[in-house]
């Protein structure tokens, strides 16, 4: 469903770590906040115990926001898949990752300490702003994570040039 029509229902928010032990994504911080927000009627929290990689696209395609991780300082594969699907992505993105892209990164940046506030702000955001974020997510994925971008980065690396000058 297009982001712009989300106000007719609660936002669907996904957090689906590939593993729960050890907790490398910060699920211990994410899960209680999303459960509280669901209990308050603010969101629909989408999560499964186990999801195969082949099922992730379908799961991502049915949500509005994907919470990737709050601990790593760089977003992961799930975030890239969500960006490519035009979803709003929430993750902890450190300064070194921000420097790599050299553009306004569409990932909503937060920490375990700011996660609850960030999620509440997203829930209260205008549908048009969420739609803009989703559009920017897709454009970012095409620019930085497409096969063409990967080939250019790898080619530069293999040739001994700066691999980030895509």
């Amino acid at each position: 469903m297009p982001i712009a029509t989300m106000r007719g229902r609660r936002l669907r928010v996904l957090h689906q770590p590939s593993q729960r032990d050890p907790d490398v994504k910060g699920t211990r911080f994410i899960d209680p906040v999303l459960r509280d927000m669901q209990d308050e009627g603010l969101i629909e929290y989408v999560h499964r115990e186990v999801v195969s990689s082949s099922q992730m696209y379908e799961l991502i395609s049915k949500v509005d926001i994907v919470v990737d991780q709050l601990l790593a300082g760089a977003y992961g594969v799930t975030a890239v898949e969500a960006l490519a699907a035009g979803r709003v992505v929430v993750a902890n993105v450190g300064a070194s990752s921000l420097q790599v892209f050299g553009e306004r990164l569409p990932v909503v940046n937060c920490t375990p300490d700011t996660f609850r506030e960030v999620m509440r702000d997203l829930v209260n955001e205008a549908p048009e702003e969420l739609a803009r974020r989703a559009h920017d997510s897709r454009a970012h994925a095409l620019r930085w994570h497409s096969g063409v971008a990967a080939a250019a980065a790898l080619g530069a690396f293999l040739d001994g040039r700066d691999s980030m000058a895509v």
Side-chain angles (χ1 to χ4, degrees):
M1 176 176 281
I3 296 284
T5 63
M6 290 188 302
R7 284 299 172 234
R9 61 174 171 74
R10 291 182 297 161
L11 293 174
R12 298 188 79 209
V13 180
L14 171 68
H15 174 61
Q16 190 64 49
S18 54
Q19 63 183 31
R20 293 187 183 272
D21 188 25
D23 178 17
V24 297
K25 294 199 173 223
T27 301
R28 67 186 177 275
F29 302 109
I30 297 165
D31 193 61
V33 169
L34 297 183
R35 286 184 189 279
D36 287 351
M37 291 180 76
Q38 178 168 274
D39 291 347
E40 294 172 40
L42 298 174
I43 65 167
E44 179 182 342
Y45 179 24
V46 178
H47 56 99
R48 307 286 183 268
E49 283 305 311
V50 178
V51 175
S52 69
S53 58
S54 62
Q55 296 170 314
M56 278 302 289
Y57 177 77
E58 182 179 352
L59 201 54
I60 289 169
S61 71
K62 294 179 179 178
V63 302
D64 305 297
I65 298 171
V66 175
V67 179
D68 182 40
Q69 58 74 31
L70 301 182
L71 301 177
Y75 60 85
V77 172
T78 298
V80 172
E81 292 171 341
L83 290 165
R87 298 302 180 254
V88 176
V89 173
V90 177
N92 175 272
V93 183
S96 61
S97 293
L98 292 171
Q99 288 175 347
V100 168
F101 297 108
E103 64 181 50
R104 191 176 139 241
L105 187 64
V107 174
V108 180
N109 197 1
C110 68
T111 67
D113 291 336
T114 62
F115 180 62
R116 184 178 300 272
E117 179 183 356
V118 165
M119 288 304 300
R120 288 188 178 278
D121 288 348
L122 283 173
V123 166
N124 291 315
E125 221 168 64
E128 299 79 21
E129 180 61 18
L130 289 168
R132 183 200 56 77
R133 287 182 187 278
H135 177 270
D136 291 352
S137 293
R138 174 101 172 122
H140 176 82
L142 291 171
R143 166 71 174 95
W144 290 99
H145 301 294
S146 69
V148 172
L154 286 173
F157 174 77
L158 293 172
D159 291 343
R161 295 177 278 133
D162 179 6
S163 63
M164 290 295 119
V166 179

